[in-house]
């Protein structure tokens, strides 16, 4: 990671309208996951159930810092008694944490591939969420779209940024829909 990567993330923020912090948090999460996978390969005999990884990317310089955490399993305290037959819930608690040196081997191909996958996934998720938010409040509204494709079961419309399906139940039976025609 470096300043060029941060500049590219800022450009993505401007182009796609996705918060920089959202992309950066997703990238940190992915780097932690990738580092844990790499760490497991380097330490095949270790009990990885009790090892956690935390990653942080500096938002100014792009420097990646990784911490190796030692975890322990603890019971979650419940208010009152547990019903018969139920076992108490367990969760992992961090008991110690030490910063590790991120090697060039990890930063190379593994880190770059993971970063690429996560950024694309975060972009898809954020775009899907923005599209949903845009149209969620418009349910039941009359919108205008251009007929893209006509089939027996449905008609494909383009109301703007997305495509929409007009099911047969919503169509007027006697009306033919032609490609390129505007439809309300």
């Amino acid at each position: 990671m470096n300043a060029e990567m941060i500049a590219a993330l800022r450009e993505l923020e401007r182009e796609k309208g996705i918060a920089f912090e959202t992309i950066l948090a997703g990238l940190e999460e992915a780097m932690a996951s990738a580092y844990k996978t790499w760490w497991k390969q380097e330490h095949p005999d270790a009990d990885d159930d009790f090892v956690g990884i935390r990653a942080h990317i500096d938002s100014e310089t792009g420097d990646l810092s990784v911490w190796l955490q030692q975890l322990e399993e603890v019971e979650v305290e419940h208010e009152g008694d547990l019903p018969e037959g139920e076992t108490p819930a367990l969760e992992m608690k961090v008991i110690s944490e030490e910063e590790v040196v991120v090697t060039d081997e990890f930063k190379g191909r593994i880190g770059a591939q993971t970063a690429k996958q996560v950024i694309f996934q975060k972009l898809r998720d954020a775009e899907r969420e923005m599209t949903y938010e845009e149209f969620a409040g418009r349910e039941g509204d009359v919108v205008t779209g251009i007929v893209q494709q006509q089939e027996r079961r449905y008609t494909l419309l383009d109301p703007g940024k997305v495509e929409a399906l007009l099911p047969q139940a919503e169509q007027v039976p006697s009306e033919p829909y032609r490609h390129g025609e505007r439809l309300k």
Side-chain angles (χ1 to χ4, degrees):
M1 303 281 158
N2 56 25
E4 291 173 5
M5 179 71 165
I6 296 298
L9 294 177
R10 294 269 184 210
E11 184 63 30
L12 274 174
E13 175 187 33
R14 281 189 294 279
E15 282 181 15
K16 303 287 186 177
I18 301 165
F20 174 77
E21 291 75 22
T22 303
I23 298 171
L24 196 62
L27 196 51
E28 287 174 348
E29 196 176 297
M31 288 289 114
S33 174
Y35 194 87
K36 184 166 184 176
T37 302
W38 179 80
W39 185 86
K40 285 181 195 179
Q41 291 171 354
E42 297 293 311
H43 303 87
D45 299 334
D47 186 4
D48 61 325
D49 291 337
F50 295 98
V51 173
I53 303 290
R54 182 173 66 91
H56 174 73
I57 299 172
D58 187 292
S59 61
E60 300 297 321
T61 63
D63 291 337
L64 173 66
S65 303
V66 175
W67 288 269
L68 187 66
Q69 301 172 327
Q70 297 302 317
L71 307 173
E72 75 174 352
E73 217 169 37
V74 294
E75 274 187 26
V76 178
E77 293 189 23
H78 295 279
E79 294 180 19
D81 294 331
L82 282 174
E84 257 185 67
E86 275 196 39
T87 57
L90 299 173
E91 70 177 27
M92 300 306 274
K93 179 182 175 188
V94 178
I95 37 178
S96 70
E97 184 174 73
E98 77 177 76
E99 190 167 359
V100 293
V101 177
V102 181
T103 63
D104 288 340
E105 181 184 340
F106 172 75
K107 287 180 183 176
R109 183 185 58 79
I110 297 170
Q113 186 64 29
T114 302
K116 177 184 169 185
Q117 289 173 346
V118 167
I119 288 172
F120 284 143
Q121 184 61 44
K122 287 291 178 186
L123 287 175
R124 282 191 298 271
D125 291 347
E127 285 176 341
R128 191 177 304 122
E129 183 66 28
M130 287 177 5
T131 301
Y132 174 77
E133 287 175 7
E134 181 180 340
F135 288 99
R138 296 176 60 186
E139 188 176 342
D141 289 356
V142 176
V143 294
T144 302
I146 298 172
V147 176
Q148 296 294 320
Q149 185 177 348
Q150 164 72 36
E151 290 194 12
R152 193 169 51 89
R153 293 176 296 150
Y154 63 85
T155 300
L156 187 64
L157 299 173
D158 182 9
K161 295 179 184 176
V162 296
E163 292 181 336
L165 291 177
L166 182 64
Q168 191 173 16
E170 299 288 326
Q171 298 177 21
V172 178
S174 61
E175 260 187 48
Y177 301 116
R178 291 182 300 280
H179 181 74
E181 177 181 45
R182 287 198 174 276
L183 183 66
K184 281 194 178 198

